[in-house]
Amino acid sequence: FRVSVDSRSEKIGAKIRSAQVEKVPYMLVVGPKEVEQNTVALRSRTEGDQGSLRLETVIDALRLEVREKRIPTP
């Protein structure tokens, strides 16, 4: 996987909009709530907010997508 971290001191909404403009396929949002619950908030460029999921669940799903060579389309 190619990963980048947006550590700018912007509001989360601005970071999400920026990622959408850049057509980032997936965004994993980690805030205090997610840290406390050991989860990540998953956002897909094509499907929008996927809710909070365990990180292992997200990684497994992305590995399957890569293995099957599925390309998300809008």
Side-chain angles (χ1 to χ4, degrees), residues 1 12 16 20 24-31 33-34 39-63 65 72:
F1 303 119
I12 193 72
I16 290 171
Q20 288 172 331
V24 173
Y26 294 100
M27 294 165 265
L28 301 178
V29 180
V30 181
K33 181 176 102 177
E34 288 79 19
T39 61
V40 294
L42 176 64
R43 294 186 63 89
S44 166
R45 180 172 60 93
T46 58
E47 298 175 23
D49 187 7
Q50 302 294 302
S52 291
L53 303 166
R54 293 182 49 231
L55 180 59
E56 296 81 13
T57 303
V58 173
I59 291 171
D60 290 344
L62 293 175
R63 282 184 178 150
E65 188 172 300

